[in-house]
Amino acid sequence: MKILIINGPNLNLLGKREPEIYGNRTFEQFLAELQAGFPQIEIDYFQSNHEGALIDRIHEAGFSTDGIILNAGAYTHTSIALADAIAAVPAPVIEVHISNVHQREPFRHHSYLSAKCVGSIVGLGLEGYRLAVEYLESYK
Ligand code: DQA
């Protein structure tokens, strides 16, 4: 089984960026542990700060992987193009947000992506990615 995790803009700065909101760990540290915890699953990772690159990666993986875990960062709240990309591919997509966007500024309360995703995990920190892998493992 193959799963792709996609992180969008500014998530390359996890560990340094607003640690009171996003924590102290880099995504690379977390990813190594996640991969070790699921040795039976091939977990790939892609991060980009560019909307088009995220769309290209969804197109590429969306026909060949068993699931995509997507934290599109702020594009979540702005990008109809990303929503269309999710809708265009057969792979199930799980939306993840590290912070509880509903406790934050009103502009973070709306997601263009949620309606096109199988489900969303919000506000559980990096644990949200692990839960999404677990869910996809049993997804039919
Ligand atoms: C985020 C929440 C978004 O509102 C924000 O723009 C991010 C990170 C999260 O993981 O909590 O960059 O997606």
Side-chain angles (χ1 to χ4, degrees), residues 9-11 17 21-22 71-77 96-101 104 107-108 129:
N10 303 305
L11 292 164
R17 171 194 187 196
I21 298 175
Y22 299 111
N71 183 347
Y75 288 138
T76 303
H77 318 298
V96 168
H97 297 288
I98 297 166
S99 65
N100 185 342
V101 285
R104 300 181 64 192
F107 64 82
R108 294 185 204 277
Y129 293 89

mmCIF file of all heavy atoms in Angstrom, residues 9-11 17 21-22 71-77 96-101 104 107-108 129, ligand 1:
data_model
loop_
_atom_site.group_PDB
_atom_site.id
_atom_site.type_symbol
_atom_site.label_atom_id
_atom_site.label_comp_id
_atom_site.label_asym_id
_atom_site.label_seq_id
_atom_site.Cartn_x
_atom_site.Cartn_y
_atom_site.Cartn_z
ATOM 1 N N PRO A 9 2.031 25.431 1.739
ATOM 2 C CA PRO A 9 2.907 26.557 2.046
ATOM 3 C C PRO A 9 3.179 26.759 3.533
ATOM 4 O O PRO A 9 2.283 26.591 4.366
ATOM 5 C CB PRO A 9 2.144 27.769 1.480
ATOM 6 C CG PRO A 9 0.744 27.313 1.313
ATOM 7 C CD PRO A 9 0.817 25.832 1.030
ATOM 8 N N ASN A 10 4.436 27.073 3.801
ATOM 9 C CA ASN A 10 4.935 27.410 5.144
ATOM 10 C C ASN A 10 5.075 26.207 6.072
ATOM 11 O O ASN A 10 5.622 26.334 7.169
ATOM 12 C CB ASN A 10 4.069 28.508 5.810
ATOM 13 C CG ASN A 10 4.008 29.750 4.957
ATOM 14 O OD1 ASN A 10 5.054 30.295 4.595
ATOM 15 N ND2 ASN A 10 2.827 30.187 4.582
ATOM 16 N N LEU A 11 4.631 25.053 5.621
ATOM 17 C CA LEU A 11 4.739 23.869 6.485
ATOM 18 C C LEU A 11 6.146 23.274 6.447
ATOM 19 O O LEU A 11 6.477 22.418 7.259
ATOM 20 C CB LEU A 11 3.656 22.846 6.124
ATOM 21 C CG LEU A 11 2.257 23.362 6.491
ATOM 22 C CD1 LEU A 11 1.157 22.572 5.802
ATOM 23 C CD2 LEU A 11 2.049 23.355 8.004
ATOM 24 N N ARG A 17 8.290 27.617 13.008
ATOM 25 C CA ARG A 17 7.188 28.529 12.744
ATOM 26 C C ARG A 17 6.181 28.520 13.900
ATOM 27 O O ARG A 17 5.630 27.471 14.229
ATOM 28 C CB ARG A 17 6.501 28.043 11.468
ATOM 29 C CG ARG A 17 5.208 28.723 11.154
ATOM 30 C CD ARG A 17 4.450 27.945 10.077
ATOM 31 N NE ARG A 17 3.290 28.704 9.687
ATOM 32 C CZ ARG A 17 2.267 28.209 9.017
ATOM 33 N NH1 ARG A 17 2.263 26.947 8.642
ATOM 34 N NH2 ARG A 17 1.256 28.977 8.708
ATOM 35 N N ILE A 21 1.661 27.446 18.223
ATOM 36 C CA ILE A 21 0.515 26.928 17.462
ATOM 37 C C ILE A 21 0.843 25.566 16.841
ATOM 38 O O ILE A 21 0.043 24.636 16.885
ATOM 39 C CB ILE A 21 0.106 27.915 16.333
ATOM 40 C CG1 ILE A 21 -0.338 29.251 16.918
ATOM 41 C CG2 ILE A 21 -0.999 27.314 15.457
ATOM 42 C CD1 ILE A 21 -0.640 30.331 15.895
ATOM 43 N N TYR A 22 2.057 25.453 16.262
ATOM 44 C CA TYR A 22 2.366 24.277 15.439
ATOM 45 C C TYR A 22 3.351 23.300 16.083
ATOM 46 O O TYR A 22 3.655 22.269 15.495
ATOM 47 C CB TYR A 22 2.899 24.736 14.073
ATOM 48 C CG TYR A 22 1.896 25.558 13.294
ATOM 49 C CD1 TYR A 22 2.099 26.924 13.068
ATOM 50 C CD2 TYR A 22 0.734 24.981 12.798
ATOM 51 C CE1 TYR A 22 1.172 27.685 12.365
ATOM 52 C CE2 TYR A 22 -0.205 25.730 12.098
ATOM 53 C CZ TYR A 22 0.024 27.078 11.883
ATOM 54 O OH TYR A 22 -0.905 27.817 11.191
ATOM 55 N N ASN A 71 -2.384 18.544 3.813
ATOM 56 C CA ASN A 71 -2.499 19.779 4.591
ATOM 57 C C ASN A 71 -2.077 20.894 3.646
ATOM 58 O O ASN A 71 -0.894 21.104 3.403
ATOM 59 C CB ASN A 71 -1.594 19.740 5.827
ATOM 60 C CG ASN A 71 -1.760 20.993 6.676
ATOM 61 O OD1 ASN A 71 -2.355 21.978 6.241
ATOM 62 N ND2 ASN A 71 -1.231 20.960 7.885
ATOM 63 N N ALA A 72 -3.061 21.569 3.089
ATOM 64 C CA ALA A 72 -2.778 22.580 2.064
ATOM 65 C C ALA A 72 -2.465 23.946 2.668
ATOM 66 O O ALA A 72 -2.361 24.933 1.926
ATOM 67 C CB ALA A 72 -3.949 22.675 1.097
ATOM 68 N N GLY A 73 -2.292 24.003 3.993
ATOM 69 C CA GLY A 73 -1.980 25.282 4.627
ATOM 70 C C GLY A 73 -3.026 26.322 4.252
ATOM 71 O O GLY A 73 -4.225 26.018 4.140
ATOM 72 N N ALA A 74 -2.593 27.542 4.012
ATOM 73 C CA ALA A 74 -3.539 28.629 3.758
ATOM 74 C C ALA A 74 -4.287 28.481 2.430
ATOM 75 O O ALA A 74 -5.361 29.067 2.255
ATOM 76 C CB ALA A 74 -2.804 29.970 3.795
ATOM 77 N N TYR A 75 -3.763 27.660 1.501
ATOM 78 C CA TYR A 75 -4.508 27.431 0.247
ATOM 79 C C TYR A 75 -5.852 26.751 0.513
ATOM 80 O O TYR A 75 -6.767 26.821 -0.312
ATOM 81 C CB TYR A 75 -3.695 26.588 -0.734
ATOM 82 C CG TYR A 75 -2.532 27.320 -1.365
ATOM 83 C CD1 TYR A 75 -1.299 26.690 -1.529
ATOM 84 C CD2 TYR A 75 -2.653 28.628 -1.820
ATOM 85 C CE1 TYR A 75 -0.222 27.339 -2.099
ATOM 86 C CE2 TYR A 75 -1.585 29.296 -2.388
ATOM 87 C CZ TYR A 75 -0.369 28.645 -2.534
ATOM 88 O OH TYR A 75 0.695 29.292 -3.103
ATOM 89 N N THR A 76 -5.953 26.091 1.660
ATOM 90 C CA THR A 76 -7.224 25.491 2.083
ATOM 91 C C THR A 76 -8.364 26.506 2.002
ATOM 92 O O THR A 76 -9.479 26.183 1.606
ATOM 93 C CB THR A 76 -7.097 25.062 3.572
ATOM 94 O OG1 THR A 76 -6.005 24.172 3.688
ATOM 95 C CG2 THR A 76 -8.374 24.444 4.097
ATOM 96 N N HIS A 77 -8.033 27.736 2.395
ATOM 97 C CA HIS A 77 -9.061 28.765 2.559
ATOM 98 C C HIS A 77 -9.241 29.628 1.314
ATOM 99 O O HIS A 77 -10.048 30.544 1.311
ATOM 100 C CB HIS A 77 -8.700 29.663 3.756
ATOM 101 C CG HIS A 77 -8.181 28.895 4.931
ATOM 102 N ND1 HIS A 77 -8.947 27.958 5.595
ATOM 103 C CD2 HIS A 77 -6.961 28.888 5.547
ATOM 104 C CE1 HIS A 77 -8.218 27.431 6.576
ATOM 105 N NE2 HIS A 77 -7.017 27.974 6.563
ATOM 106 N N VAL A 96 -5.953 17.372 6.538
ATOM 107 C CA VAL A 96 -5.435 17.468 7.906
ATOM 108 C C VAL A 96 -5.024 18.912 8.192
ATOM 109 O O VAL A 96 -4.434 19.585 7.329
ATOM 110 C CB VAL A 96 -4.214 16.522 8.116
ATOM 111 C CG1 VAL A 96 -3.491 16.832 9.422
ATOM 112 C CG2 VAL A 96 -4.661 15.059 8.114
ATOM 113 N N HIS A 97 -5.346 19.384 9.389
ATOM 114 C CA HIS A 97 -4.799 20.649 9.893
ATOM 115 C C HIS A 97 -4.251 20.414 11.286
ATOM 116 O O HIS A 97 -4.933 19.808 12.137
ATOM 117 C CB HIS A 97 -5.861 21.752 9.908
ATOM 118 C CG HIS A 97 -6.346 22.064 8.542
ATOM 119 N ND1 HIS A 97 -5.569 22.738 7.624
ATOM 120 C CD2 HIS A 97 -7.491 21.724 7.912
ATOM 121 C CE1 HIS A 97 -6.236 22.820 6.481
ATOM 122 N NE2 HIS A 97 -7.398 22.211 6.622
ATOM 123 N N ILE A 98 -3.062 20.891 11.509
ATOM 124 C CA ILE A 98 -2.389 20.700 12.797
ATOM 125 C C ILE A 98 -3.122 21.475 13.888
ATOM 126 O O ILE A 98 -3.380 20.960 14.973
ATOM 127 C CB ILE A 98 -0.920 21.167 12.678
ATOM 128 C CG1 ILE A 98 -0.185 20.288 11.658
ATOM 129 C CG2 ILE A 98 -0.230 21.159 14.042
ATOM 130 C CD1 ILE A 98 1.147 20.847 11.206
ATOM 131 N N SER A 99 -3.436 22.721 13.589
ATOM 132 C CA SER A 99 -4.124 23.568 14.566
ATOM 133 C C SER A 99 -5.635 23.409 14.415
ATOM 134 O O SER A 99 -6.112 22.942 13.377
ATOM 135 C CB SER A 99 -3.728 25.037 14.356
ATOM 136 O OG SER A 99 -4.187 25.487 13.086
ATOM 137 N N ASN A 100 -6.355 23.821 15.436
ATOM 138 C CA ASN A 100 -7.818 23.825 15.329
ATOM 139 C C ASN A 100 -8.237 25.123 14.650
ATOM 140 O O ASN A 100 -8.391 26.167 15.294
ATOM 141 C CB ASN A 100 -8.468 23.695 16.713
ATOM 142 C CG ASN A 100 -9.979 23.565 16.590
ATOM 143 O OD1 ASN A 100 -10.555 23.901 15.541
ATOM 144 N ND2 ASN A 100 -10.621 23.107 17.636
ATOM 145 N N VAL A 101 -8.404 25.042 13.339
ATOM 146 C CA VAL A 101 -8.691 26.243 12.546
ATOM 147 C C VAL A 101 -9.982 26.932 13.008
ATOM 148 O O VAL A 101 -10.129 28.142 12.837
ATOM 149 C CB VAL A 101 -8.760 25.902 11.036
ATOM 150 C CG1 VAL A 101 -7.367 25.689 10.474
ATOM 151 C CG2 VAL A 101 -9.628 24.684 10.761
ATOM 152 N N ARG A 104 -9.520 29.679 15.506
ATOM 153 C CA ARG A 104 -8.635 30.757 15.077
ATOM 154 C C ARG A 104 -9.412 31.831 14.306
ATOM 155 O O ARG A 104 -10.619 31.933 14.430
ATOM 156 C CB ARG A 104 -7.473 30.149 14.273
ATOM 157 C CG ARG A 104 -6.675 29.142 15.115
ATOM 158 C CD ARG A 104 -5.524 28.546 14.350
ATOM 159 N NE ARG A 104 -4.540 29.576 13.994
ATOM 160 C CZ ARG A 104 -3.550 29.372 13.124
ATOM 161 N NH1 ARG A 104 -3.407 28.195 12.530
ATOM 162 N NH2 ARG A 104 -2.707 30.346 12.858
ATOM 163 N N PHE A 107 -11.290 33.767 8.913
ATOM 164 C CA PHE A 107 -10.934 33.391 7.534
ATOM 165 C C PHE A 107 -10.396 31.967 7.445
ATOM 166 O O PHE A 107 -10.300 31.400 6.363
ATOM 167 C CB PHE A 107 -9.953 34.383 6.894
ATOM 168 C CG PHE A 107 -8.597 34.472 7.558
ATOM 169 C CD1 PHE A 107 -7.601 33.540 7.278
ATOM 170 C CD2 PHE A 107 -8.315 35.497 8.446
ATOM 171 C CE1 PHE A 107 -6.353 33.626 7.875
ATOM 172 C CE2 PHE A 107 -7.065 35.586 9.060
ATOM 173 C CZ PHE A 107 -6.091 34.647 8.786
ATOM 174 N N ARG A 108 -10.051 31.365 8.599
ATOM 175 C CA ARG A 108 -9.582 29.973 8.583
ATOM 176 C C ARG A 108 -10.723 28.975 8.787
ATOM 177 O O ARG A 108 -10.514 27.769 8.786
ATOM 178 C CB ARG A 108 -8.534 29.741 9.682
ATOM 179 C CG ARG A 108 -7.252 30.505 9.466
ATOM 180 C CD ARG A 108 -6.208 30.152 10.522
ATOM 181 N NE ARG A 108 -5.260 31.232 10.669
ATOM 182 C CZ ARG A 108 -4.192 31.429 9.897
ATOM 183 N NH1 ARG A 108 -3.906 30.593 8.917
ATOM 184 N NH2 ARG A 108 -3.392 32.454 10.095
ATOM 185 N N TYR A 129 -1.992 13.372 11.264
ATOM 186 C CA TYR A 129 -1.448 12.653 10.101
ATOM 187 C C TYR A 129 -1.441 11.143 10.378
ATOM 188 O O TYR A 129 -1.695 10.338 9.508
ATOM 189 C CB TYR A 129 -0.020 13.107 9.798
ATOM 190 C CG TYR A 129 0.118 14.537 9.316
ATOM 191 C CD1 TYR A 129 0.283 15.587 10.210
ATOM 192 C CD2 TYR A 129 0.124 14.839 7.955
ATOM 193 C CE1 TYR A 129 0.448 16.893 9.768
ATOM 194 C CE2 TYR A 129 0.284 16.135 7.496
ATOM 195 C CZ TYR A 129 0.443 17.163 8.414
ATOM 196 O OH TYR A 129 0.595 18.455 7.971
HETATM 197 C C1 DQA B 1 -2.852 24.884 8.872
HETATM 198 C C2 DQA B 1 -3.952 25.919 9.175
HETATM 199 C C3 DQA B 1 -4.003 26.979 8.093
HETATM 200 O O1 DQA B 1 -5.005 27.938 8.385
HETATM 201 C C4 DQA B 1 -2.677 27.702 8.028
HETATM 202 O O2 DQA B 1 -2.690 28.647 6.980
HETATM 203 C C5 DQA B 1 -1.518 26.776 7.888
HETATM 204 C C6 DQA B 1 -1.513 25.555 8.686
HETATM 205 C C7 DQA B 1 -2.719 23.865 10.019
HETATM 206 O O3 DQA B 1 -2.109 22.815 9.773
HETATM 207 O O4 DQA B 1 -3.159 24.110 11.141
HETATM 208 O O5 DQA B 1 -0.548 27.059 7.210
HETATM 209 O O6 DQA B 1 -3.206 24.173 7.692
#
